[in-house]
């Protein structure tokens, strides 16, 4: 009886369906891991390519930002660092920076939105933020009338 029971259990082969299912499940879990990693990379790249609201210059105007004169730092580096604290990155700050004043006054001109003007006005070392403008002088008394 023992012998016949052993022979009968040896003669049984595993069903191919269960083997295929097991192999298919292994492949699916590996594919899912690869797919997850690719999806994560894609999302990161998409997030990097979306401009932040601070960089949106559709309603930006040029403003002059007067700052304290930096003591232990080059003026332009200080201006970029101050601007980057509002815009979020050095690259965005360099793109928005129009001019860096270093000789007669310390400050810079940059394209800023109204929200950015409000934020940069609160930064340490910022003395005043004014809109940039062009003023024409009269060239003589005959032009006054």
């Amino acid at each position: 009886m023992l012998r016949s029971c052993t022979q009968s259990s040896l003669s049984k082969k595993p069903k191919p369906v269960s083997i295929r299912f097991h192999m298919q499940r292994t492949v699916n879990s590996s594919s899912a891991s690869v797919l997850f990693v690719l999806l994560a990379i894609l999302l990161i790249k998409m997030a990097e390519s979306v401009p932040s609201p601070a960089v949106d210059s559709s309603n930006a105007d040029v403003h002059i930002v007067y700052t304290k004169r930096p003591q232990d730092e080059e003026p332009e580096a200080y201006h970029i660092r101050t601007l980057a604290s509002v815009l979020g990155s050095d690259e965005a700050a360099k793109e928005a920076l129009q001019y860096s004043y270093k000789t007669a006054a310390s400050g810079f001109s940059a394209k800023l939105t109204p929200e950015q003007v409000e934020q940069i006005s609160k930064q340490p070392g910022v003395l005043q933020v004014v809109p940039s403008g062009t003023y024409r002088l009269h060239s003589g008394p005959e032009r006054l009338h």
Side-chain angles (χ1 to χ4, degrees):
M1 181 97 180
L2 183 63
R3 186 176 242 192
S4 68
C5 188
T6 307
Q7 285 179 346
S8 69
S9 65
L10 288 176
S11 65
K12 288 185 180 179
K13 293 183 181 177
K15 293 181 179 180
V17 174
S18 66
I19 291 174
R20 278 191 209 124
F21 176 74
H22 177 70
M23 289 175 63
Q24 188 176 17
R25 192 167 195 211
T26 304
V27 169
N28 284 342
S29 66
S30 295
S31 297
S33 297
V34 170
L35 184 62
F36 177 76
V37 169
L38 290 175
L39 182 61
I41 292 171
L42 178 66
L43 288 174
I44 290 169
K45 290 296 183 184
M46 286 174 58
E48 289 174 352
S49 67
V50 173
S52 68
V55 181
D56 179 26
S57 61
S58 62
N59 62 343
D61 292 317
V62 177
H63 286 76
I64 299 173
V65 180
Y66 293 98
T67 64
K68 292 182 178 178
R69 194 170 301 280
Q71 298 300 320
D72 302 330
E73 191 173 8
E74 288 294 319
E76 190 167 350
Y78 175 72
H79 299 154
I80 289 172
R81 185 170 54 82
T82 302
L83 194 51
S85 69
V86 171
L87 300 182
S89 71
D90 285 352
E91 292 79 24
K94 288 176 184 176
E95 186 177 317
L97 186 71
Q98 301 290 306
Y99 189 80
S100 188
Y101 303 98
K102 305 171 212 160
T103 307
S106 179
F108 57 90
S109 61
K111 284 190 171 188
L112 301 170
T113 64
E115 296 82 17
Q116 293 165 343
V117 169
E118 186 178 325
Q119 290 175 351
I120 204 157
S121 297
K122 298 174 184 174
Q123 295 299 310
V126 172
L127 303 173
Q128 184 180 18
V129 181
V130 295
S132 180
T134 303
Y135 302 98
R136 295 183 185 247
L137 299 176
H138 296 287
S139 61
E142 65 274 356
R143 299 261 184 180
L144 293 176
H145 302 314

